[in-house]
């Protein structure tokens, strides 16, 4: 048995998205910038995708959608553009949170080195940012608030609509990294007062290497790549039309099935949470209810996350210890530290992110095998021995 439970890292492309990509590649042979018929047919298809994507996000206009290579690029484009645009006006302060994706945090680190001021507001123990804390952090010099819609490690949903409202009242631009949220929970950029939004197709059963940045009309972007006039002159390069078509089809499908999928996933998720909670000295990371329908994230005391992952993989369970981006480094997850987990505990984390194809039998298999592997690892752990002998105090 192989159970893929790492859908926050990437998802399987849907059959309809894949089919649409192949058909597009065969049908639209022209470059959308070419003036001949083949080129114009491709340009029309590109526009249809832009229009559909805008509609699916609740945007007013097709031209508010800028196609990109994925979530990382969209995050970079949104934050750098806003920072550099407001620099000359003396607005050099950015508000964000301590548990953003590295595509946001590393951009902010670079801006700090360039003289910008960044405030990372803390996150509650339940993994949810308080709107009041964002409000307190905003100053006269703030040009941008960037807060993710759903956390990629612990799945917690952030009060995006309230933060959007606050930013609108304060006259500050609001960007949200909605890579984990789009296609999984309801997002409407107009209703939520979002000025800039990043998304990535491979997180909602679309192809890899394609995404989009929504930028409200009037929000000016910086040229990311110089060259041709593609993407309203903000990102040169011949458009990857098959990938854009695949993304559009995947998002249409995800949005149409959002409620039905969420209902099924929540049942599976809560079964998994209930089962894993029975493991002694364990804790669920992030709010139990206010989280993505697919996300389960636990810490097990006295366990090293990497060993747990490898032994689970041996048994056919594919999971993650945090984000794909941090595994491979020995630092504990910045997300788990942000919600107040001590370093020792944060090392023993397990993220399981389900897909709607998963079954109750698979969930039960994951529970049984996680329990056995945790027991085994504890039985050979010197730390666990100290804990049991009372030479060290249990944290969980
Ligand atoms: C995956 C992810 C990204 C990066 O998206 P890519 O398309 O892989 O560049 C950014 N932010 C969040 C929250 C993510 O989950």
């Amino acid at each position: 048995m192989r159970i893929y439970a790492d859908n926050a890292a990437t998802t399987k492309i849907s059959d309809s998205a894949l089919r649409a990509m192949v058909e597009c590649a065969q049908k639209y042979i022209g470059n959308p910038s070419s003036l001949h018929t083949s080129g114009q047919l491709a340009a029309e298809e590109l526009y249809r995708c832009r229009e559909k994507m805008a509609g699916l996000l609740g945007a007013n206009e097709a031209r508010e959608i800028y196609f990109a290579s994925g979530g990382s690029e969209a995050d970079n484009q949104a934050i750098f553009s806003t920072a550099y645009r407001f620099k000359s006006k003396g607005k050099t302060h950015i508000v964000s949170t301590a548990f953003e994706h590295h595509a946001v945090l590393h951009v902010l680190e670079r801006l700090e080195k360039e003289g910008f001021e960044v405030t990372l507001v803390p996150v509650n123990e339940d993994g949810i940012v308080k709107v009041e804390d964002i409000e307190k952090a905003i100053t006269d010099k703030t040009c941008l608030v960037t807060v993710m819609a759903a956390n990629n490690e612990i799945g917690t949903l952030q009060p995006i609509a309230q933060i959007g409202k606050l930013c609108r009242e304060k006259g500050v631009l609001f960007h949200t990294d909605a890579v984990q949220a789009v296609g999984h929970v309801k997002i409407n950029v107009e209703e939520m007062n979002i000025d800039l939004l990043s998304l990535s197709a491979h997180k909602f059963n679309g192809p890899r290497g394609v995404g989009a940045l929504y930028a409200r009309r009037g929000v000016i972007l910086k040229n990311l790549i110089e060259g041709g006039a593609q993407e309203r002159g903000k990102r040169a390069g011949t458009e990857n039309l098959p990938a854009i078509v695949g993304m559009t089809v995947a998002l249409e499908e995800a949005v149409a099935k959002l409620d039905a999928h969420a209902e099924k996933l929540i049942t599976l998720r809560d079964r998994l949470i209930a089962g894993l909670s029975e493991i002694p000295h364990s804790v669920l990371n992030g709010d139990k209810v206010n989280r993505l329908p697919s996300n389960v994230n636990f810490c097990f005391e006295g366990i090293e996350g990497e060993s747990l992952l490898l032994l689970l993989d041996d048994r056919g369970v594919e999971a993650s210890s945090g984000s794909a981006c941090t595994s491979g480094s020995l630092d504990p997850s910045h997300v788990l530290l942000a919600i107040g987990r001590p370093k020792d505990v944060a090392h023993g984390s397990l993220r399981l992110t389900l897909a709607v194809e998963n079954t109750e039998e698979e969930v039960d298999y994951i529970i049984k095998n996680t329990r056995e592997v945790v027991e085994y690892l504890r039985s050979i752990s010197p730390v666990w021995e100290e804990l049991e002998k009372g030479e060290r105090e249990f944290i969980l």
Side-chain angles (χ1 to χ4, degrees), residues 1 12 46 100 124 130 134 148 155 186 199 203 218 236 252-253 258 265 275 285 302 307 319 350 368 375 382 391-392:
M1 175 138 53
K12 179 173 173 258
L46 183 66
E100 296 296 310
N124 278 1
K130 276 207 182 117
I134 301 284
M148 63 196 332
K186 286 196 179 77
L199 64 87
K203 302 288 175 74
E252 274 186 296
E253 209 175 4
L258 196 142
L265 280 167
N285 293 311
S307 323
L350 177 69
K368 176 175 173 285
E375 269 171 27
E391 292 164 8
R392 204 188 247 261

Side-chain angles (χ1 to χ4, degrees), residues 119-380:
T119 303
L120 298 182
V121 304
V123 189
N124 278 1
E125 203 198 336
D126 60 7
I128 297 169
V129 178
K130 276 207 182 117
V131 184
E132 305 92 86
D133 290 340
I134 301 284
E135 183 165 12
K136 274 185 239 153
I138 295 175
T139 70
D140 291 346
K141 287 178 86 181
T142 307
C143 62
L144 178 71
V145 170
T146 172
V147 177
M148 63 196 332
N151 184 270
N152 49 299
E153 289 189 33
I154 57 176
T156 46
L157 304 172
Q158 306 307 313
I160 291 307
Q162 290 95 306
I163 297 172
K165 185 164 172 275
L166 168 74
C167 291
R168 189 58 54 87
E169 284 164 9
K170 297 258 182 191
V172 175
L173 288 181
F174 174 45
H175 166 249
T176 183
D177 173 341
V179 174
Q180 290 290 332
V182 169
H184 301 282
V185 292
K186 286 196 179 77
I187 294 285
N188 185 304
V189 291
E190 279 300 322
E191 286 169 10
M192 295 173 155
N193 290 309
I194 294 165
D195 298 305
L196 293 143
L197 174 144
S198 308
L199 64 87
S200 179
H202 75 101
K203 302 288 175 74
F204 52 80
N205 304 98
R208 319 257 158 102
V210 64
L213 174 63
Y214 159 81
R216 179 178 297 283
R217 190 176 173 181
V219 174
I220 300 157
L221 299 182
K222 233 182 91 71
N223 280 17
L224 194 68
I225 301 172
E226 300 294 345
Q230 291 91 351
E231 302 306 308
R232 297 166 57 78
K234 305 305 177 197
R235 182 185 193 260
T238 303
E239 301 86 346
N240 188 350
L241 188 58
I244 290 166
V245 166
M247 167 167 70
T248 308
V249 168
L251 187 57
E252 274 186 296
E253 209 175 4
V255 168
K257 295 179 180 168
L258 196 142
D259 289 331
H261 282 181
E263 197 186 320
K264 193 181 163 211
L265 280 167
I266 286 169
T267 307
L268 292 174
R269 178 195 74 189
D270 290 349
R271 186 182 182 94
L272 186 52
I273 290 175
L276 295 180
S277 297
E278 284 174 18
I279 297 175
H281 304 285
S282 68
V283 68
L284 174 72
N285 293 311
D287 193 85
K288 201 170 172 186
V289 179
N290 209 351
R291 68 193 299 134
L292 288 169
S294 56
N295 179 290
V296 175
N297 189 315
F298 267 83
C299 281
F300 303 103
E301 189 156 11
I303 292 289
E304 207 269 297
E306 304 274 296
S307 323
L308 177 58
L309 280 194
L310 295 175
L311 291 178
L312 280 176
D313 187 47
D314 281 346
R315 292 162 177 244
V317 177
E318 295 177 327
S320 158
S321 62
S323 72
C325 322
T326 42
S327 48
S329 80
L330 287 174
D331 294 335
S333 145
H334 70 286
V335 174
L336 297 178
L337 297 180
I339 64 166
R341 298 281 177 245
K343 248 183 171 188
D344 286 345
V345 169
H347 270 298
S349 65
L350 177 69
R351 180 185 74 179
L352 294 151
T353 42
L354 302 168
V356 74
E357 295 82 18
N358 288 127
T359 63
E360 290 196 347
E361 292 70 45
E362 288 177 339
V363 164
D364 293 344
Y365 181 90
I366 296 173
I367 295 168
K368 176 175 173 285
N369 282 279
T370 306
R371 188 179 300 153
E372 288 172 7
V373 172
V374 167
E375 269 171 27
Y376 167 72
L377 285 173
R378 282 175 175 170
S379 74
I380 58 164

Side-chain angles (χ1 to χ4, degrees), residues 60-71:
N60 284 330
E61 297 178 42
R63 61 171 174 167
E64 294 174 319
I65 303 296
Y66 295 82
F67 293 122
S69 66

